[in-house]
Amino acid sequence: MIRAEGVSKIFGPQPASIMALLEQGKSKSEIQQETGHVVGVNNASFDIAPGEVFVIMGLSGSGKSTLIRCVNRIIEPTGGRILFKDPEAGELDVTTLDYEQLRMLRKQHMSMVFQHFALFPHRTVLSNATYGLEIQRRPDSERKRIGQEVLDMVGLGEWGQAYPSELSGGMQQRVGLARALATQARVLLMDEPFSALDPLIKVNMQQELKRIQQELQRTILFITHDLDEAMRIGDRIAIMEDGEIIQIGSPEEILVNPRTEYVARFVEHADPTGVITAGTIALPFTSSLVQRVGNRYGLQYFARRGYPRLRYGQDSTGRLKHVMTNERELPVQPLEQVIEARAADHLPERRDDLILTCPETTVLRQVLRGRLHSALPIVVTDRDGRIRGLVDDPELISGILEKRGHFQQDTVTTSDCAP
């Protein structure tokens, strides 16, 4: 949907002349000291897939807000290309569009939500929400219909005739979001839209954005300096430092495997329980802590160190058939099912005769909840139902405290779990 190729932005009287210094490897501080020019963005490249929430984050001055403004050319990039691909517009090089083409791109295909709400104080909530449609010269009846739909979507359906001064900060930001959604643009550019909100309202808006995204599947480029926010809403995250993108990956990849000391410091205090997944920390059957203990009735049996009487029976496709102890078969239930069934228990029973299973995409927060109901290792499966590995207390502690997964030590594939 969007591809940035080597985008750079230099602020100063002769920005084009500074590009050669960047190519020579000069740092941002060196260029500023020698020439007085400021490097806002340095050779940034990334791809955003249709329907993806792509988050760019970094500290103040890292270049993230400059970069997002280069995407729709509110700020003119000094170098590089920005390609936009759309079923209606085709593929466009945004950096080569003339004034009218750029206006059309912004009107029809890209909407922007700013940090400051930028609402018209003399217009009603409905009129603010439909401003983009007015610019598109949509009929009045169509504007009102779409405007009411998006206000309903963001939870402001009954506030259409109110004025911004009558709304709280969170409600005003919802109007800004509704205004961006109303144009039906496939791309939303969001520059720290929730940073001015109180913490509780901010979390509510993040949840609201996720809910709307599940329904509309827009392509979103989201800027933030808040790591928890990035982890909560992003499909992938790009981290910037001094104008450069230094790592791109899923929230889990960045949390578990930071590539630089800067990224490691950035994620040091992040809460891993809602990001790291069971598949990442699961102890594979190829580990030295798991032993093959025999074959019987066409099944292969494995035992984990610390649980010598437990026998995990796996068929030829790598799927769990049963778990035995002292010739007795233990009940096996999905983790989510047990959590839902016992949600009302204030002091849940922690059984030592129940095996729980969960998909590899289950986050550690849910795995921890499962540990309240079973003291035995949880069996982790891939999307085809094959055993990925086991999760017990050592894996959970390592994943939470050290943000470390077994894949960093052992390369495990689905075939590794099958005989």
Side-chain angles (χ1 to χ4, degrees), residues 92-108:
L92 305 173
D93 183 347
V94 178
T95 57
T96 65
L97 300 182
D98 62 29
Y99 179 72
E100 286 301 321
Q101 291 172 322
L102 188 57
R103 285 188 63 217
M104 186 61 64
L105 177 74
R106 295 170 180 167
K107 283 170 59 176
Q108 302 291 342

Side-chain angles (χ1 to χ4, degrees), residues 9-19 21-22 26-41 78:
K9 175 60 184 178
I10 314 296
F11 295 96
Q14 296 179 311
S17 65
I18 306 301
M19 293 296 292
L21 298 180
L22 286 178
K26 293 277 188 177
S27 69
K28 177 179 179 177
S29 59
E30 289 174 335
I31 289 174
Q32 187 168 2
Q33 291 174 2
E34 294 176 12
T35 70
H37 289 72
V38 176
V39 179
V41 178
T78 307

Side-chain angles (χ1 to χ4, degrees), residues 62-356:
S62 62
K64 55 190 185 298
S65 290
T66 299
L67 181 53
I68 195 174
R69 282 165 168 76
C70 287
V71 171
N72 63 355
R73 278 179 57 195
I74 290 178
I75 292 177
E76 289 285 347
T78 307
R81 297 201 307 165
I82 297 163
L83 302 176
F84 170 73
K85 190 173 183 179
D86 181 84
E88 295 180 5
E91 184 169 272
L92 305 173
D93 183 347
V94 178
T95 57
T96 65
L97 300 182
D98 62 29
Y99 179 72
E100 286 301 321
Q101 291 172 322
L102 188 57
R103 285 188 63 217
M104 186 61 64
L105 177 74
R106 295 170 180 167
K107 283 170 59 176
Q108 302 291 342
H109 304 293
M110 288 186 184
S111 290
M112 192 158 187
V113 182
F114 297 93
Q115 176 179 351
H116 301 290
F117 316 133
L119 302 180
F120 295 111
H122 61 285
R123 285 177 174 256
T124 65
V125 167
L126 180 61
S127 180
N128 267 284
T130 59
Y131 179 72
L133 299 174
E134 186 177 329
I135 296 298
Q136 293 178 357
R137 298 184 179 180
R138 302 278 192 97
D140 184 64
S141 59
E142 184 180 0
R143 294 203 306 268
K144 290 181 178 178
R145 175 182 60 79
I146 296 175
Q148 190 60 51
E149 288 175 357
V150 294
L151 288 178
D152 290 339
M153 188 177 296
V154 300
L156 294 175
E158 299 179 358
W159 291 83
Q161 299 310 310
Y163 287 86
S165 60
E166 302 174 59
L167 275 55
S168 67
M171 295 170 75
Q172 290 183 43
Q173 191 60 280
R174 288 171 187 259
V175 178
L177 179 57
R179 179 176 57 195
L181 294 172
T183 64
Q184 300 175 333
R186 288 184 171 85
V187 174
L188 296 183
L189 306 178
M190 307 185 75
D191 186 13
E192 300 201 54
F194 307 145
S195 62
L197 303 178
D198 293 334
L200 183 58
I201 298 174
K202 182 176 183 177
V203 172
N204 289 339
M205 285 300 299
Q206 293 164 359
Q207 294 171 341
E208 192 74 7
L209 178 63
K210 290 182 68 175
R211 180 188 63 79
I212 292 170
Q213 177 63 0
Q214 287 177 351
E215 181 178 345
L216 299 182
Q217 290 296 298
R218 301 290 173 87
T219 302
I220 299 176
L221 176 56
F222 192 101
I223 303 298
T224 183
H225 63 268
D226 184 335
L227 177 64
D228 288 333
E229 180 171 69
M231 296 285 179
R232 189 173 291 121
I233 69 172
D235 296 317
R236 285 189 302 146
I237 299 171
I239 296 183
M240 295 190 71
E241 180 186 18
D242 289 339
E244 297 183 62
I245 294 177
I246 56 176
Q247 184 168 351
I248 297 177
S250 70
E252 185 176 20
E253 289 168 346
I254 286 177
L255 195 60
V256 175
N257 190 26
R259 294 179 184 169
T260 69
E261 183 179 348
Y262 174 81
V263 177
R265 293 200 310 269
F266 220 114
V267 304
E268 182 179 3
H269 301 294
D271 176 11
T273 60
V275 178
I276 297 178
T277 59
T280 295
I281 68 169
L283 183 71
F285 276 16
T286 54
S287 168
S288 60
L289 297 179
V290 180
Q291 294 180 331
R292 185 177 297 180
V293 292
N295 300 308
R296 189 177 182 184
Y297 305 124
L299 302 180
Q300 296 189 37
Y301 286 86
F302 296 83
R304 177 188 172 129
R305 185 179 299 176
Y307 299 88
R309 292 184 177 86
L310 283 182
R311 298 289 188 267
Y312 297 88
Q314 178 181 265
D315 67 15
S316 61
T317 66
R319 292 172 173 82
L320 181 71
K321 299 306 292 183
H322 59 226
V323 181
M324 306 291 294
T325 180
N326 295 330
E327 299 300 321
R328 178 170 62 94
E329 186 172 341
L330 296 180
V332 178
Q333 295 184 36
L335 179 148
E336 289 286 348
Q337 189 179 95
V338 171
I339 291 175
E340 291 177 8
R342 304 180 187 178
D345 293 343
H346 297 291
L347 293 172
E349 176 189 6
R350 192 167 192 240
R351 296 172 54 180
D352 58 5
D353 63 346
L354 173 65
I355 299 295
L356 299 181

